[in-house]
């Protein structure tokens, strides 16, 4: 048995033990309270983990291990979000099946995760690309297809209940989430529709449905991209041009849940910025819908939504989105060429760019006019890219006097800017205040804004030109990708009608294809599959599901990962309920987290889950940034000058691999071996060393600042890395990586180890009774660790462990009564060294299921105090007294003290002032 702290053998030993004994395997146990600790599961990239990735995993693992010690039954699983573009792009380049790449990447991730000692229950691992998993993703899609949203009951219901209503009374009284253009039908009219017509009609109500939608189409990637995958008109992955295109797509009717998604935010413990992003994404606004008659087009009405009907008399033009369906019909012949050119330019700008670009003002006049439905005034109709087809109605009534974008537009194109709310200076800027008196507005004059809004809506309803309405900015979600590596949609087409597979036919497995590119005729890659037809005759859907499909319900699969009869059993869902702690990046604020909440609410409506919100508490871990290093090459040479001398030369700064730098000193031989062109490099040194430059940046391969955790585990051990990542700073904050600080944590663990050994390295733990000083050091630490973990503040606990070990070292503590509880407290942070010492303390079972020691207040209360002793107000000495002593007793002890008598030099004492627990002042 080694006496030295040999972290390599200790960590390998206990990782093997945990794996062989399934230490972290979790079953339902109703005798214990449950705790569900979850990390956002990773996409397994080929690069593996860098030191930034485990930050959140370490935090959730500390909480999981702590909760087990506190008597909770902890579910702490891990899996992989394994469909996605990177593996497919690699497949396109190399011809290797994405499943092969994905499997290799996952094996690498699992090896790295295990090296860090995480307490995952690997028996519950899920992979979204595994058919046994995506069978249930397909099954949930089928439930959505077979459901509609009943606004009267405010929940999803089976489509059969809608059909029954249609058969009895048509849809005149149906209050449902449905397409805008859903016609009214009577029961007789419904009965007269043929099967295709009925199915097409039901698509207007289904929660997943086929629809024409304007999408971000990327020809080079051959797929539709989500808005957050497009930046500055090009794809984030690859930088390829993206165009806006009308395509038939599968959609999810998430808008049906807009109000519930909004209200639910008030019931969950999430970071406020994330909630605010979701509120903005949902974008609820209360206002009115108005219809502007197009002059000269009898049956054409432009519908606009406005929250400020009080400013209706200030509307001096109407603006349509370039994609608006009326544009080509109402454009005057003399404007047609200009309009078509503008439409072609605007359609290839992403929605994100169009919303965020407030500086450039563009647009063109259609030549058409619309009639203001309240004032009767004729106003021009323009098109501009700041209006989006996918938001609201794709049209706005422009009130330039009181809206900054409309104001900029009117200024640019010299359009009228009427003033209808008093209080601003329209010669300088729009007056966008939401309070004030209405002017120049006929019957609204003199009213305050709020009252004018009510009066305006009332007049619009009386005239039959508008109505009160609640609007949401959120649009229905595109649910399709024209790619190979994703879940096949469980749909086939019979006479052009989409139909579902039988549940018994799931999963619909991805077919083999000869290449992962679209077909020569532009169909998605699945169009390449040979003889891939439903029952040999019907065409399958050729799109696959988007990246967010498998991640929108995965936490339920972890509850019952091996179940082949249902996505999770009622028993497991009733027990685990929902996630108590969810840790992941803030970049998922709207996408994954919003879609997950939507699917969860849907499953709740169908009675399949018992909680409406999936994640009770969310923590966004901050990013660990890279600490980049630079070398400085003198112009037109292969000579590199050290940082402190670089200003004496004309140099180019080059990123250098941080792994060949230690304490900001470059390893010259490794640098020469790093790249062939540096093999003959020469150096100008400072004091015999090459000092590199430093900058804090995002960790990335291109900056050569990626630090591999495997290297650090090899050099310092997993326990050191775990504690050091927590020591870097608060979990939620961004912080720079600096390997230089790891040595301090490593030395702390060695000092902790030495507490158990004598000078010769022999085991030296005794059964002696602990002293008050030792108990104080221990209980102070137990209290701090418990409080810190409960409030998810981990770095300060690491500091406290260090203080405690220093105090115990000074006290020469070797007592089981102190070291055993301290080992349990350290176990969540440094599980390997804790397991080893626990074992050596004589315990046969794992420390995982020990009991976290309770701290006791009596050991924390100071029993004595070092009183500063002043003579005539000047501190001269210190004396220690029991805090229980009365003022009188303290005074007696002070005056009887030999030290004080010397200070008095025989002079008489006038009085003694005693402030208990503070100071003693002797006046002479």
């Amino acid at each position: 048995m080694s006496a030295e702290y040999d972290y390599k053998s200790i960590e390998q030993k206990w990782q093997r033990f945990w794996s062989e004994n399934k230490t972290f395997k979790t079953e339902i146990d109703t005798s214990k309270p449950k705790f569900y600790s979850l990390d956002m599961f990773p996409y397994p990239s080929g690069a593996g983990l860098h030191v930034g990735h485990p930050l959140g995993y370490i935090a959730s693992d500390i909480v999981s291990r702590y909760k087990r010690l506190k008597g909770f039954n902890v579910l702490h699983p891990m899996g992989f979000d394994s469909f996605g573009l990177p593996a497919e792009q690699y497949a396109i380049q190399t011809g290797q099946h994405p499943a092969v790449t994905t499997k290799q990447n996952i094996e690498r991730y699992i090896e790295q995760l295990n090296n860090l000692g995480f307490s995952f229950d690997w028996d519950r691992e899920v992979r979204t690309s595994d058919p046994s998993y995506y069978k249930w993703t397909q099954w949930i899609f089928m439930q959505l297809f077979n459901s509609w949203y009943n606004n009267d009951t405010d929940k999803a219901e089976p489509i059969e209940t809608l059909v029954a209503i249609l058969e009895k009374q048509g849809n005149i009284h149906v209050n449902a989430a449905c397409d805008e253009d859903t016609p009214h039908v009577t029961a007789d009219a419904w009965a007269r529709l043929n099967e295709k017509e009925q199915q097409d009609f039901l698509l207007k109500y289904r929660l997943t449905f086929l629809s024409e939608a304007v999408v971000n189409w990327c020809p080079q990637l051959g797929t539709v991209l989500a808005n957050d995958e497009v930046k500055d008109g090009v794809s984030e992955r690859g930088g390829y041009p993206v165009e806006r295109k009308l395509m038939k797509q599968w959609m999810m009717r998430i808008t049906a849940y807009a109000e519930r998604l909004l209200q639910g935010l008030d019931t969950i413990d999430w970071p406020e910025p994330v909630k605010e992003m979701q509120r903005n994404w949902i974008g609820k606004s209360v206002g009115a819908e108005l219809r502007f008659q197009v002059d000269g087009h009898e049956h054409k009405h432009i519908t606009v939504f406005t929250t400020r009907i009080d400013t209706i008399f200030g509307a001096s033009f109407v603006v349509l989105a370039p994609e608006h369906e009326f544009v080509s019909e109402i454009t005057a012949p003399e404007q047609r060429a200009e309009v078509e050119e503008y439409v072609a330019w605007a359609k290839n700008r992403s929605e994100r760019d169009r919303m965020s670009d407030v500086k450039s003002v563009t647009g063109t006049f259609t030549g058409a006019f619309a009639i203001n439905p309240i004032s009767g005034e004729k106003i021009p109709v323009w098109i501009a890219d700041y209006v989006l087809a996918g938001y609201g109605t794709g049209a706005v009534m422009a009130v330039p006097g009181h809206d900054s974008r409309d104001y900029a537009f009117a200024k640019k194109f010299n359009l009228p800017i009427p003033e209808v709310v008093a209080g601003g200076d329209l010669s300088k800027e729009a007056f966008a205040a939401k309070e004030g008196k209405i002017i120049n507005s006929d019957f609204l004059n003199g009213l305050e804004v709020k009252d004018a809004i009510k009066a305006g809506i009332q007049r619009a309803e009386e005239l039959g030109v508008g109505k009160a309405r609640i609007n949401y900015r959120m649009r229905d979600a595109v649910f399709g990708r024209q790619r190979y590596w994703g879940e096949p949609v469980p749909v086939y087409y019979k006479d052009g009608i989409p139909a579902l597979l039988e549940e018994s036919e799931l999963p619909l497995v991805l077919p083999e294809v000869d290449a992962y590119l679209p077909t020569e005729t532009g169909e998605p890659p699945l169009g390449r599959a040979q003889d891939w037809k439903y029952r040999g005759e019907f065409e399958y859907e050729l799109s696959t599901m988007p990246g967010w499909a498998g991640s929108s319900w995965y936490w339920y699969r972890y509850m019952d990962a091996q179940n082949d009869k249902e996505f999770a059993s009622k028993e497991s869902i009733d027990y685990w309920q929902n996630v108590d702690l969810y840790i992941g990046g803030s970049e998922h604020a709207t996408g994954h987290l919003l879609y997950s909440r939507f699917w969860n609410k849907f499953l709740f409506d169908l009675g399949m889950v018992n909680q409406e919100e999936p994640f009770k508490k969310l923590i966004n871990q901050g990013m660990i940034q890279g600490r980049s290093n630079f070398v400085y090459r003198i112009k037109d040479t292969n000579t590199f000058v050290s940082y402190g001398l670089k200003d004496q030369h004309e140099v180019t700064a080059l990123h250098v691999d941080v792994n060949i730098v230690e304490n900001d000193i470059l390893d010259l031989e490794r640098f020469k071996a790093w790249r062939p062109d540096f093999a003959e490099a020469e150096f100008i040194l400072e004091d015999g060393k090459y000092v590199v430059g430093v900058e804090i940046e995002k960790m990335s391969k291109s900056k050569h600042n990626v630090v591999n955790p495997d290297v650090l585990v090899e050099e310092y051990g997993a326990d050191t890395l775990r504690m050091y990542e927590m020591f870097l700073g608060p979990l939620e904050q961004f912080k720079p990586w600096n390997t230089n600080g790891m040595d301090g944590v490593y030395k702390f663990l060695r000092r902790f180890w030495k507490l158990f050994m004598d000078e010769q390295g022999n085991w030296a733990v005794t059964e002696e009774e602990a002293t008050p000083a030792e108990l104080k050091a221990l209980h102070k630490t137990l209290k701090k660790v418990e409080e810190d973990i409960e409030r998810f503040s981990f770095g300060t606990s690491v500091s406290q462990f260090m203080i405690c070990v220093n105090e115990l070292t000074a006290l020469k503590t070797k007592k089981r009564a102190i070291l055993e509880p301290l080992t349990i407290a350290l176990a969540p942070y440094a599980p390997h060294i804790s397991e080893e010492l626990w074992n050596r303390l004589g315990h046969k079972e794992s420390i995982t299921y020990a009991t976290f020691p309770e701290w006791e207040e009596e050991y924390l209360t100071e029993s004595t105090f070092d009183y500063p002793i002043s003579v005539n107000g000047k501190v001269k000495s210190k004396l220690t007294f029991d805090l229980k002593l009365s003022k009188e007793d303290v005074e007696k002890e002070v005056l009887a003290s030999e030290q004080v008598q010397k200070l008095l030099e025989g002079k008489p004492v006038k009085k003694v002032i005693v402030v208990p627990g503070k100071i003693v002042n002797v006046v002479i």
Side-chain angles (χ1 to χ4, degrees), residues 44 90 96 98-109:
Y90 188 72
Q96 179 168 280
V100 176
T101 318
T102 301
K103 185 170 183 290
Q104 289 169 350
N105 293 347
I106 287 175
E107 284 168 1
R108 171 95 181 96
Y109 266 59

Side-chain angles (χ1 to χ4, degrees), residues 138-196:
Q138 291 172 338
W139 181 85
I140 294 170
F141 172 93
M142 290 165 69
Q143 310 314 304
L144 283 152
F145 183 83
N146 279 331
S147 299
W148 65 296
Y149 199 90
N150 185 341
N151 287 333
D152 288 336
T153 59
D154 202 19
K155 65 175 195 172
E157 295 180 5
I159 200 79
E160 294 79 26
T161 62
L162 175 63
V163 172
I165 295 168
L166 292 171
E167 287 171 349
K168 278 187 189 165
Q169 58 189 61
N171 69 345
I172 310 297
H173 301 296
V174 169
N175 179 16
C178 59
D179 292 355
E180 291 279 336
D181 62 352
T182 304
H184 281 136
V185 295
T186 62
D188 288 344
W190 168 258
R192 286 197 298 273
L193 297 178
N194 62 33
E195 188 192 358
K196 179 172 180 4

Side-chain angles (χ1 to χ4, degrees), residues 32 108 122 192 209 300 323 377 395 414 426 468 499 561 650 681 689 711 736 805 866 879:
K32 289 182 177 181
R108 171 95 181 96
W122 282 111
R192 286 197 298 273
F209 58 100
K300 286 271 179 290
E323 307 89 344
E377 185 188 355
N414 202 25
L426 300 191
E650 190 179 345
K689 296 172 185 168
V711 174
V805 167
D866 295 336
L879 291 173

Side-chain angles (χ1 to χ4, degrees), residues 9-19 23-24 831-840 843-847:
S9 63
I10 288 171
E11 291 180 358
Q12 287 168 6
K13 168 186 172 181
W14 289 105
Q15 286 167 15
R16 193 164 54 246
F17 175 91
W18 295 330
S19 175
T23 303
F24 312 118
H832 305 88
I833 191 173
S834 301
E835 281 281 20
E836 179 65 22
L837 292 169
W838 182 251
N839 183 252
R840 293 189 185 202
H843 300 280
K844 295 289 171 269
E845 74 287 355
S846 166
I847 198 170

Side-chain angles (χ1 to χ4, degrees), residues 547-562:
W548 54 269
S551 62
S552 291
W553 71 280
Y554 74 110
W555 60 97
Y556 284 116
R557 191 60 179 168
Y558 282 139
M559 295 178 186
D560 198 8
Q562 312 304 325

